Amino acid sequence: MQARKRLKNEEFFHHYQPIYDIQTGTIVGHEGLFRMESQMDPEATFLHAKNEKKLYELDSRSIHKASFTYMKTGFSVRYRNLFLNVFPSTISNPMFLPLVKQIIHENGILNKQLILEINENEPFDYGVLKSSIAELKLMGIKIAIDDFGKGASSIQAIIELNPDYIKLDKYFMKDITRSQRKKEIIHQMLHFCKKFNISLIAEGVEDHDSLDTLRKLGVKYAQGYLLGRPALLS
């Protein structure tokens, strides 16, 4: 009943965290982050929704609301790209494609700005997901693999799902200035991304030394508290 009530009253909103081109110092987009008015943990909220069989409804309405807010405030014109987390089951739901078409209809340029970050916190069938992603890509929607390096499934995802973006887990930022192994993995990831036309984004940048290291390695995109904290749009 909790999820149903929150959906009815739409007791959620979004904070937006900037994503920078750290080589030029310019904002290239934002990630929309789900928040509850009750300050309830987002993961717990989605878990409740899943248990009440309301996961698709909450996830899809969150995406719709975050997109509308980004357009309404003019950020879709000023900063273009909007990154939003999505569950695989939401992408695979037959009602999702019509919803995305509705979002595009509301603002025709958003289809080439919307990047869906695959949330791997639930099991999924690669075959079904790949089919749905193919249809989304035909509409101009881009796909990102989130938290790369956090779990073994991310490796299969970047092979099977042909993402447009790979987001490095914040784990790589801890002691990166002293870790030759981490720097070598990032170097190899950059090589992989260049070969397959994928953009690499480093998450969790919280200090200048890490930022300088990423720049020297040739990483182009990053986000983190040092660059900008999640906040309401204004």
Side-chain angles (χ1 to χ4, degrees):
M1 294 296 292
Q2 290 180 338
R4 188 175 291 108
K5 178 183 176 182
R6 293 186 182 111
L7 281 164
K8 181 180 179 180
N9 298 331
E10 205 159 269
E11 299 173 4
F12 61 88
F13 61 98
H14 298 83
H15 281 166
Y16 295 79
Q17 185 173 33
I19 297 173
Y20 273 81
D21 179 333
I22 58 174
Q23 301 297 337
T24 64
T26 56
I27 297 175
V28 296
H30 292 78
E31 179 179 356
L33 299 163
F34 181 91
R35 296 289 185 263
M36 287 295 299
E37 291 179 2
S38 64
Q39 297 186 341
M40 183 177 179
D41 178 71
E43 287 190 17
T45 302
F46 280 103
L47 180 59
H48 281 302
K50 182 177 181 180
N51 291 337
E52 295 178 29
K53 301 188 185 304
K54 291 290 182 180
L55 179 59
Y56 171 77
E57 191 173 352
L58 179 59
D59 200 22
S60 60
R61 285 179 65 174
S62 170
I63 290 169
H64 197 179
K65 186 171 185 176
S67 302
F68 178 77
T69 302
Y70 203 64
M71 292 182 291
K72 184 180 179 181
T73 54
F75 272 58
S76 62
V77 176
R78 292 165 61 189
Y79 300 116
R80 295 192 60 77
N81 296 320
L82 174 61
F83 291 75
L84 295 173
N85 279 277
V86 60
F87 284 89
S89 59
T90 297
I91 290 181
S92 301
N93 191 300
M95 294 187 291
F96 187 61
L97 284 174
L99 173 66
V100 173
K101 289 178 182 178
Q102 179 184 344
I103 292 172
I104 291 171
H105 179 72
E106 291 171 354
N107 185 330
I109 62 172
L110 188 63
N111 65 322
K112 295 183 179 179
Q113 299 172 226
L114 184 59
I115 299 98
L116 297 176
E117 299 186 17
I118 305 296
N119 185 327
E120 297 185 72
N121 290 333
E122 66 173 1
F124 57 87
D125 183 315
Y126 272 102
V128 174
L129 189 59
K130 286 167 69 174
S131 176
S132 298
I133 286 175
E135 292 188 62
L136 286 168
K137 286 198 169 193
L138 287 175
M139 296 163 59
I141 307 299
K142 295 183 176 66
I143 299 297
I145 302 300
D146 198 17
D147 298 331
F148 178 79
K150 187 175 182 179
S153 59
S154 295
I155 296 175
Q156 184 176 358
I158 66 171
I159 295 171
E160 296 288 339
L161 302 182
N162 188 25
D164 303 282
Y165 293 85
I166 294 174
K167 302 187 79 174
L168 282 175
D169 186 71
K170 60 184 179 181
Y171 160 78
F172 284 96
M173 292 304 103
K174 186 177 180 180
D175 298 324
I176 188 176
T177 56
R178 297 190 294 272
S179 176
Q180 293 302 317
R181 292 173 185 261
K182 287 183 178 180
K183 285 188 277 192
E184 180 59 27
I185 289 174
I186 293 174
H187 175 75
Q188 295 298 328
M189 284 301 301
L190 286 169
H191 174 74
F192 176 88
C193 288
K194 182 178 180 180
K195 185 172 183 177
F196 293 101
N197 194 30
I198 301 169
S199 296
L200 188 69
I201 301 174
E203 295 185 293
V205 180
E206 298 185 357
D207 61 80
H208 288 284
D209 288 342
S210 298
L211 182 61
D212 290 342
T213 300
L214 290 172
R215 284 177 175 148
K216 290 174 183 177
L217 286 169
V219 174
K220 188 172 177 63
Y221 303 116
Q223 70 183 100
Y225 283 1
L226 177 68
L227 300 168
R229 289 177 175 268
L232 294 171
L233 298 183
S234 59

